[in-house]
Amino acid sequence: MPKIIAKNKFAKSDYEIHSTYEAGISLLGWEVKSLRAQNVKINNAFCSISNKNELWLNNMHISQYMLVKGDLDRSRKLLMHSKEILRIKNICDRFSLIIIPLSIYWSNNYIKLEIALAKRLRKYDKREKIKQEELKRNLKNLY
């Protein structure tokens, strides 16, 4: 069972999630130690696909571990098969979706990142979503 390091709290409320994928992540030694201490924020993070069909994670903040000097918000390469990356790129282009991280966790001594293809919700969409959830909750309480 994977041990969750950090979750993106705002992903479920701010985005409509279409599909999820699992990716490995390329990290430095001090970053792994900092992740063990759960000193990471992925709320503002997003993924992008480069011209060489590589998947990159941007804006993920990993706090400094002890006195190690390093770039805290650097872009980190995500590890996926090239066919999977091309499939994701085609879907994103076709449906104008963005790639966001949902959670980062340990899986068999490897750090994995769960990414999702998502569409940003507008304010009125959020209100509609909240109304639907309240309706379901009220119906459930009646029966």
Side-chain angles (χ1 to χ4, degrees), residues 6-24:
K7 273 188 164 184
N8 189 347
K9 295 183 227 175
F10 305 108
K12 302 274 190 213
S13 62
D14 289 350
Y15 298 95
E16 179 186 343
I17 296 172
H18 289 278
S19 59
T20 61
Y21 297 92
E22 183 182 65

Side-chain angles (χ1 to χ4, degrees), residues 8-70:
N8 189 347
K9 295 183 227 175
F10 305 108
K12 302 274 190 213
S13 62
D14 289 350
Y15 298 95
E16 179 186 343
I17 296 172
H18 289 278
S19 59
T20 61
Y21 297 92
E22 183 182 65
I25 184 168
S26 175
L27 296 170
L28 300 175
W30 68 269
E31 292 173 332
V32 175
K33 290 181 179 182
S34 188
L35 284 174
R36 281 190 196 277
Q38 297 183 345
N39 295 330
V40 62
K41 293 179 185 170
I42 60 172
N43 292 339
N44 295 329
F46 64 95
C47 299
S48 60
I49 299 175
S50 69
N51 294 336
K52 297 179 183 178
N53 291 328
E54 295 176 337
L55 194 59
W56 291 88
L57 178 65
N58 305 313
N59 277 0
M60 182 173 79
H61 180 81
I62 297 179
S63 298
Q64 182 177 342
Y65 181 75
M66 296 203 171
L67 297 174
V68 178
K69 301 280 186 198

Side-chain angles (χ1 to χ4, degrees), residues 73-131:
D73 294 323
R74 72 178 181 91
S75 296
R76 293 164 179 91
K77 187 175 181 179
L78 296 181
L79 308 171
M80 290 181 82
H81 290 285
S82 57
K83 288 182 182 180
E84 248 181 332
I85 294 173
L86 286 173
R87 186 179 316 126
I88 290 172
K89 185 176 182 180
N90 290 336
I91 293 170
C92 286
D93 290 343
R94 190 176 322 138
F95 299 111
S96 65
L97 301 174
I98 57 173
I99 308 168
I100 58 167
L102 294 180
S103 63
I104 187 166
Y105 55 89
W106 287 97
S107 176
N108 296 333
N109 292 330
Y110 291 107
I111 296 175
K112 300 288 184 176
L113 186 75
E114 184 180 16
I115 58 174
L117 300 179
K119 189 166 201 143
R120 184 122 179 135
L121 289 176
R122 296 198 173 94
K123 202 171 209 175
Y124 56 85
D125 291 333
K126 289 182 195 177
R127 290 184 191 135
E128 192 64 36
K129 190 175 182 181
I130 291 169
K131 285 180 189 176

